[in-house]
Amino acid sequence: MTRVFFFIIGFVFVFSACSEKKTQISQWRGPNRDGIYQETGLLKKWPENGPELLWSFEGLGYGHSSVAIAGDNVFVSGMKDTIDSNGTLYSFDKNGNLLWEKEYGPDYNLMFHGPRSTPTIVDDLMYFESGMGKVYCLNTENGDEVWSVDFVDDLGVDSIIQFGYSESVLIDGNRLICIPGGKENNVVALNRFTGEKIWSSTGNGEQATYNSPILINYNNQRLVVGMTSESVMGIDADTGEMYWRIEHTQGNKIHANTPVYSDGRILVATPDRGDTSGMILIQLSEDGKDAEVLWRNERLRNFMGGLIKLDTCIYASGYLRNDWQVLSWNTGEMIVQNKDLGGGAIIYADGMFYGYAERDGEIALMKANPEKIEIVNRFEVPMGTMEHWAHPVIEDGRLYVRHGDALMVYNIKEV
């Protein structure tokens, strides 16, 4: 009886510990892929020369991907050499110590070299898409490959898209969702533990673009919203059936902004002007199986800086212009404008906006509302190479800024 008693107690203890364990997920543009970080206690004003630099690392190589943070580890990718073109994943602890680095295979070396995809991490597994169109599942402890799927060799895609795949893959429970852009396997769901195909959608048969899909739940209808070269699509997340398509075009077929969802509406932005271009707001039908365009804004040309939706407003910037705007979510009309900072990436946390100017390499702390856009502080990114394209990340009171070869980590937490 004593042995049985201690066995039962031990079982209850183990079961309770396991049941309390929460799945840790890190992904592109924050917890909901919308650029909003759930942080509190952050500085509302920085020192004159910017926040304190806690640590930095130079030597990542070429690349434009943002960092992923899970538990006590920070992950980022780069390409050290454009000749052999192999990409490398790096793992740091939160004090900046390099824990390991691992080559994963060839990445994009034709234009704007290096990886673009931000890793998606679920517990001890990392999911990453190379610019050459290969999805990897890797072990976060050491970078060892668990499985991989090649868009061309395994899914029949004709060729790699012009500027290299930039999608950050989407995790839905035990499924990984990505958009290879093939004629047959246009959008696919893979078993995230094995890489086996669960479902495949032919979509509209168009090539992939450079944004990342989102998952929404509207009136109990779960939809994957994704974009290909001339379409915004709503696809059943469980079966892969395409319910609706909205034509949306851009001359160079880039479509680099991730869609934003709120209350049955989907916001999409590309920089072209035309009857099927620009910034649009899409309204879903009651069952989510149909959709229509509510409004279109052709004036604010947002290329890849992202968009933030708060309350009844949209916050975004113009491409390569000193043009930051607050727009109405309901009409798309501009409410207020600021021309004191170059356009670029935008994220939000604890009542403040963070802008990363693409052309000038400035990081700005901003207050913005329907009345005014105010730049509180700004500083120039001191390290790194090439384009300022990687979106900043906020986690545990720290601001992570990747600029090409360099990663910089700043303390933005209130004392």
Side-chain angles (χ1 to χ4, degrees):
M1 287 296 293
T2 302
R3 290 181 180 179
V4 172
F5 174 78
F6 281 109
F7 174 79
I8 293 173
I9 294 298
F11 177 81
V12 170
F13 175 80
V14 171
F15 178 80
S16 298
C18 292
S19 63
E20 289 176 1
K21 181 181 179 183
K22 294 182 179 180
T23 299
Q24 293 188 21
I25 299 178
S26 174
Q27 62 178 333
W28 161 246
R29 297 275 293 164
N32 298 308
R33 295 198 159 206
D34 57 5
I36 298 175
Y37 290 85
Q38 307 300 321
E39 292 274 324
T40 58
L42 303 182
L43 290 169
K44 302 302 185 290
K45 186 176 182 180
W46 294 337
E48 184 177 349
N49 295 321
E52 175 192 5
L53 179 64
L54 294 174
W55 60 268
S56 63
F57 181 87
E58 293 181 281
L60 299 176
Y62 300 93
H64 311 287
S65 57
S66 298
V67 302
I69 305 161
D72 296 325
N73 300 97
V74 179
F75 303 92
V76 68
S77 58
M79 178 193 288
K80 293 182 179 180
D81 188 343
T82 60
I83 303 302
D84 68 19
S85 75
N86 279 331
T88 300
L89 276 163
Y90 302 86
S91 175
F92 300 89
D93 66 22
K94 287 190 173 179
N95 294 318
N97 298 306
L98 180 63
L99 301 177
W100 54 259
E101 59 180 275
K102 183 106 177 203
E103 288 190 356
Y104 54 83
D107 216 310
Y108 196 78
N109 69 344
L110 299 179
M111 291 176 285
F112 311 115
H113 313 300
R116 293 99 155 86
S117 168
T118 295
T120 303
I121 299 173
V122 185
D123 294 330
D124 59 352
L125 294 177
M126 176 190 310
Y127 303 93
F128 177 77
E129 185 176 302
S130 77
M132 298 303 291
K134 190 170 185 177
V135 173
Y136 296 88
C137 174
L138 306 172
N139 190 309
T140 58
E141 290 296 317
N142 50 28
D144 286 351
E145 182 177 315
V146 179
W147 58 261
S148 62
V149 170
D150 189 284
F151 289 170
V152 175
D153 295 341
D154 300 322
L155 297 178
V157 174
D158 291 336
S159 61
I160 304 302
I161 56 178
Q162 183 180 7
F163 297 107
Y165 284 88
S166 305
E167 170 185 50
S168 297
V169 298
L170 175 67
I171 298 298
D172 174 23
N174 292 335
R175 299 170 182 173
L176 178 151
I177 296 169
C178 57
I179 305 179
K183 295 293 184 183
E184 179 179 349
N185 295 306
N186 197 258
V187 182
V188 299
L190 307 175
N191 183 308
R192 75 175 181 90
F193 298 107
T194 67
E196 295 295 319
K197 187 164 60 176
I198 295 174
W199 57 252
S200 176
S201 171
T202 58
N204 204 50
E206 299 164 354
Q207 73 177 43
T209 53
Y210 304 84
N211 63 81
S212 302
I214 61 172
L215 180 70
I216 66 175
N217 193 332
Y218 175 64
N219 289 345
N220 296 317
Q221 177 65 59
R222 292 175 359 97
L223 291 173
V224 173
V225 177
M227 297 179 68
T228 49
S229 58
E230 297 180 7
S231 301
V232 185
M233 300 177 295
I235 295 172
D236 189 301
D238 297 315
T239 67
E241 180 182 356
M242 186 173 78
Y243 288 135
W244 51 263
R245 170 187 182 261
I246 300 291
E247 183 179 8
H248 197 65
T249 60
Q250 185 178 345
N252 52 17
K253 300 181 179 180
I254 289 182
H255 295 312
N257 278 314
T258 299
V260 172
Y261 170 77
S262 179
D263 299 324
R265 294 177 174 183
I266 300 158
L267 179 68
V268 174
T270 54
D272 278 9
R273 293 174 174 149
D275 293 340
T276 58
S277 301
M279 181 185 294
I280 63 171
L281 190 67
I282 298 169
Q283 174 69 59
L284 294 176
S285 62
E286 281 299 309
D287 60 3
K289 295 184 178 182
D290 200 1
E292 62 178 354
V293 176
L294 281 183
W295 55 253
R296 185 181 304 273
N297 179 331
E298 301 173 20
R299 294 178 295 281
L300 180 61
R301 306 183 68 187
N302 186 291
F303 188 21
M304 56 185 171
L307 311 111
I308 302 290
K309 190 267 182 179
L310 284 178
D311 299 322
T312 59
C313 292
I314 302 163
Y315 300 81
S317 69
Y319 176 52
L320 292 179
R321 293 185 175 187
N322 286 39
D323 185 9
W324 291 79
Q325 295 187 18
V326 180
L327 304 99
S328 166
W329 173 257
N330 294 316
T331 68
E333 294 297 317
M334 184 181 73
I335 301 172
V336 67
Q337 183 179 38
N338 182 296
K339 295 187 176 183
D340 294 332
L341 179 73
I346 184 172
I347 58 175
Y348 174 87
D350 197 20
M352 304 295 287
F353 293 88
Y354 298 74
Y356 185 9
E358 176 183 343
R359 183 169 52 194
D360 304 323
E362 286 188 309
I363 299 283
L365 182 66
M366 299 183 288
K367 292 180 181 177
N369 55 51
E371 304 297 325
K372 185 180 181 181
I373 302 172
E374 176 189 355
I375 297 175
V376 179
N377 294 103
R378 68 173 91 193
F379 69 95
E380 290 187 9
V381 172
M383 306 174 192
T385 54
M386 309 299 286
E387 296 83 11
H388 297 272
W389 287 347
H391 287 213
V393 171
I394 295 174
E395 197 270 344
D396 194 23
R398 298 180 175 195
L399 177 68
Y400 292 78
V401 179
R402 193 264 176 84
H403 175 212
D405 188 55
L407 173 61
M408 292 145 281
V409 183
Y410 293 91
N411 181 14
I412 59 170
K413 195 172 185 64
E414 288 181 327
V415 178

